[in-house]
Structures are given as C-alpha cells and as structure tokens.
Amino acid sequence: MDFLESENEPNDHYGNLTEFIKRQNAFLVGFARRAKQLGFKPLGPNFSTGYPECYVRGTNYQLWPNAWQGLTDGLRALRDAGGALGLHEYDAPDL
C-alpha cells in the first residue's frame, strides 16, 4: 500500500480546541484531495495517544465525541480517497 501520512501528532497548543478542530478538518479535506491527485492513499490525522483529552478538566464536558463530529468532512475525505485513519496508540496489545 502506498500511503501518504499527514502531519505527526497534531495538537492545539493554544487551548482553543474548537478552532483547532475546524482547521484540522479543513486541512484533512485538502490533504486527502492532494494525496489522491499524487497517486497516494491519505493517512491522517495521526493524533497522539490520549489526545485530545476526553474531558475538560473539572467538568463533565466530553471533548473527544465533539472533536470527532467536527472532523466529519475530513474523515470522509480520507475514506473517499481510499485512505485510512491514523492514530498513535502505544499500549498494544492492551488498548
């Protein structure tokens, strides 16, 4: 398989997850389109283990489900271009 991997472990260094997810979603759409044009299968977004965190500290607000919803267009673009979801998980085989 010939995959082209997107950036490694993207994250929001500035604390604005909503804006980060919007930017990441747009990036994945463009990345998937360009990878396919170049003859590659796109692989992304390659989040780090445990990122984004599941909950906002001190609250019951769930970040991860909301983050996935915000990435819908980007994830569909990866799928439609024959690509795959990339995650970094270092606890195998006990994920």
Side-chain angles (χ1 to χ4, degrees):
M1 290 187 209
D2 293 319
F3 283 94
L4 183 61
E5 185 176 7
S6 70
E7 78 275 35
N8 183 47
E9 299 183 357
N11 62 65
D12 173 27
H13 295 287
Y14 303 104
N16 189 336
L17 183 65
T18 302
E19 284 302 311
F20 167 72
I21 293 299
K22 286 180 186 177
R23 289 190 314 270
Q24 186 66 25
N25 188 56
F27 170 80
L28 288 172
V29 170
F31 172 76
R33 184 176 302 128
R34 187 66 177 140
K36 186 174 181 179
Q37 288 173 348
L38 295 171
F40 293 100
K41 296 177 182 180
L43 178 68
N46 304 306
F47 287 125
S48 176
T49 299
Y51 185 85
E53 293 183 35
C54 292
Y55 293 93
V56 175
R57 289 188 182 120
T59 74
N60 288 325
Y61 181 73
Q62 295 185 2
L63 291 173
W64 203 215
N66 292 302
W68 281 118
Q69 284 181 326
L71 293 172
T72 300
D73 294 336
L75 297 174
R76 284 186 180 144
L78 292 173
R79 179 199 62 199
D80 293 348
L85 173 65
L87 296 173
H88 292 183
E89 301 296 337
Y90 301 107
D91 298 322
D94 300 318
L95 298 176

